[in-house]
Amino acid sequence: MADRLLTVAEAAEQLGTGERFIRRLIAERRIRYVKIGHPVRIPESAVAEYVDAHTVEPVRRIRARYGKAA
């Protein structure tokens, strides 16, 4: 098996959220998951992809040295 399958609780712990948030992501099909009968499992790579897709890079502003001219 190439990718470890996480329970909802484990995925929530990795993201630092509650299980309810993970279940909402699954219900809205915003994260990949594997359905094994009734329980669902989330591949570790799916959690990493979710984090990468929702990471916002900082914007570096160039500040004027003396402020605005009147």
Side-chain angles (χ1 to χ4, degrees):
M1 190 174 235
D3 206 5
R4 182 169 170 248
L5 297 176
L6 305 172
T7 64
V8 172
E10 291 170 335
E13 186 177 326
Q14 275 197 354
L15 288 177
T17 64
E19 291 183 31
R20 186 175 179 183
F21 177 71
I22 301 298
R23 293 194 186 280
R24 191 172 78 221
L25 291 178
I26 291 168
E28 294 173 355
R29 296 181 187 254
R30 293 171 49 199
I31 193 167
R32 283 187 302 119
Y33 65 93
V34 178
K35 191 160 174 96
I36 305 172
H38 179 68
V40 294
R41 300 289 184 259
I42 298 100
E44 260 186 330
S45 62
V47 174
E49 288 170 10
Y50 182 82
V51 170
D52 288 341
H54 291 84
T55 299
V56 179
E57 295 297 326
V59 177
R60 184 160 191 242
R61 292 186 191 176
I62 300 173
R63 294 178 53 187
R65 189 172 202 153
Y66 301 105
K68 295 182 180 179

